[in-house]
Amino acid sequence: MQTEEENNTLDDFLAIAKALSDPSRVRALLALRRGELCVCQIIALLDLAPSTVSRHMSLLKQAGLVKGRKEERWMHYRLAKPETGTGIIQASLQWVFMATEKDNTIEEDKKRMARILRQSPESLCKTRTKKRKGNQ
Amino acid sequence: MQTEEENNTLDDFLAIAKALSDPSRVRALLALRRGELCVCQIIALLDLAPSTVSRHMSLLKQAGLVKGRKEERWMHYRLAKPETGTGIIQASLQWVFMATEKDNTIEEDKKRMARILRQSPESLCKTRTKKRKGNQ
DNA sequence: TCTTCAATTCGTCACATAACGAAATATATG
DNA sequence: CATATATTTCGTTATGTGACGAATTGAAGA
């Protein structure tokens, strides 16, 4: 994937563009600017079903925008590092960051994530399991 | 839409990302680097039904990436100019350009468009009308 | 080994979207 | 006004996608 990369740049690009065309994925990606996050923390941020969040993160990973690391039973995601990315990845990340700079939702997410980070990840997961989720 | 633009930057961004997550739209957009193009020329490039191309161009326009200009009975599209765009637009265009720099399809499209431009737009349209299109 | 639990995968549903052709619209031209 | 023609809009169909819950996987811990 990095040895030659000469022809189907378009497909790589489209995968990135698709990954970035969903609000939940963009919010998750931007939240990772803080640093590595556990899936359960992203679940808490987005307030979506674990399976949904898992799929979102998987798409971001496939596009090459984030990296995953499993520690014990928790999966941690972080932004793709400069040395890992193909240049397009880094450019894409910069693009999202600048394009969403002044967004209200993202600002709210920062505060929300600050609150989430105050709890330990362990308690977070247990809390969520017991939590009622009664909407559609 | 341009008077203040303070809060829902995310929606604008998502519209752009969605517009850029389809190969036909990206190809059309990149073809416009040459300069303004008539819809019939884009139809010839992509080899899609006129109605399909029209919809694609409409989405690109909605996202703010291209501008339309009607001259006589022909619709011409061009890239959004620096002074027109919100900054995000220009950044997005630059991003697509750099990300697809080395793509084969795009290279082919350049040659293909050169061939198309050798014909006059008028003959192009009439040709296409008579042309058989027997695939799905 | 059995249990626990975080995360993922799978199946399903509702809805979005890309493709087409047909019909409508707009703009010359007879 | 009627015709021709470029483009758009509309309706339909097939496929893609996001959401969920249920079942599965994998890593600790009893």
Side-chain angles (χ1 to χ4, degrees):
Chain A
M1 224 243 196
Q2 56 157 323
T3 45
E4 300 205 32
E5 58 154 325
E6 73 262 76
N7 48 357
N8 60 336
T9 324
L10 186 54
D11 287 338
D12 297 344
F13 171 80
L14 289 170
I16 296 172
K18 280 191 184 216
L20 294 176
S21 60
D22 176 88
S24 301
R25 284 193 291 269
V26 172
R27 287 173 62 201
L29 192 73
L30 292 171
L32 290 176
R33 278 183 295 182
R34 256 182 191 280
E36 203 174 61
L37 288 175
C38 169
V39 171
C40 63
Q41 294 168 324
I42 304 171
I43 289 170
L45 174 70
L46 302 177
D47 198 38
L48 290 173
S51 57
T52 305
V53 173
S54 178
R55 173 131 190 77
H56 280 317
M57 297 316 292
S58 160
L59 283 170
L60 285 171
K61 201 169 98 176
Q62 267 187 258
L65 296 168
V66 307
K67 299 284 166 189
R69 178 180 68 87
K70 190 151 197 176
E71 183 180 315
E72 305 189 355
R73 80 189 76 171
W74 292 283
M75 190 68 180
H76 296 262
Y77 285 102
R78 63 177 185 282
L79 295 179
K81 286 278 171 59
E83 61 269 18
T84 324
T86 50
I88 293 167
I89 299 294
Q90 290 309 308
S92 306
L93 289 174
Q94 290 307 313
W95 177 60
V96 197
F97 298 162
M98 85 83 87
T100 56
E101 238 164 28
K102 310 169 194 191
D103 188 77
N104 279 351
T105 310
I106 303 304
E107 283 306 311
E108 286 301 319
D109 278 358
K110 280 183 195 167
K111 295 177 206 158
R112 192 180 168 85
M113 186 50 85
R115 245 175 288 129
I116 291 165
L117 287 170
R118 241 168 263 138
Q119 319 174 44
S120 69
E122 293 79 4
S123 72
L124 227 191
C125 291
K126 292 198 183 142
T127 305
R128 257 213 67 84
T129 307
K130 296 196 203 318
K131 193 196 155 201
R132 294 253 19 171
K133 37 191 138 71
N135 60 347
Q136 197 249 11
Chain B
M1 225 245 197
Q2 54 156 330
T3 45
E4 299 206 33
E5 58 153 325
E6 73 261 74
N7 48 356
N8 60 336
T9 323
L10 187 54
D11 287 339
D12 298 345
F13 170 81
L14 289 169
I16 296 173
K18 278 192 185 215
L20 295 176
S21 59
D22 177 89
S24 302
R25 283 194 291 268
V26 172
R27 288 173 60 202
L29 192 74
L30 292 171
L32 289 176
R33 279 182 295 182
R34 258 183 189 279
E36 202 175 62
L37 289 175
C38 170
V39 172
C40 62
Q41 294 168 324
I42 304 171
I43 289 168
L45 174 71
L46 301 178
D47 197 39
L48 290 173
S51 57
T52 305
V53 173
S54 178
R55 173 133 189 74
H56 280 316
M57 298 315 292
S58 161
L59 282 171
L60 285 171
K61 201 170 98 176
Q62 266 187 259
L65 295 167
V66 306
K67 298 284 165 189
R69 180 180 65 90
K70 190 154 199 175
E71 182 181 317
E72 304 190 354
R73 80 189 77 171
W74 293 282
M75 190 67 181
H76 297 263
Y77 285 101
R78 63 177 187 283
L79 296 179
K81 285 279 171 56
E83 61 269 18
T84 325
T86 48
I88 293 168
I89 299 294
Q90 291 309 309
S92 305
L93 289 174
Q94 290 308 312
W95 177 61
V96 197
F97 298 162
M98 83 85 84
T100 57
E101 240 165 25
K102 311 168 191 186
D103 188 75
N104 280 349
T105 310
I106 302 304
E107 283 306 311
E108 286 302 318
D109 279 357
K110 280 183 193 167
K111 297 176 202 158
R112 192 181 169 87
M113 187 49 85
R115 245 176 288 129
I116 290 165
L117 286 170
R118 240 168 263 138
Q119 320 173 45
S120 71
E122 292 80 4
S123 71
L124 225 193
C125 292
K126 289 195 185 145
T127 306
R128 256 214 67 85
T129 307
K130 295 195 203 318
K131 193 196 154 202
R132 295 254 17 171
K133 36 192 139 71
N135 59 348
Q136 198 250 9

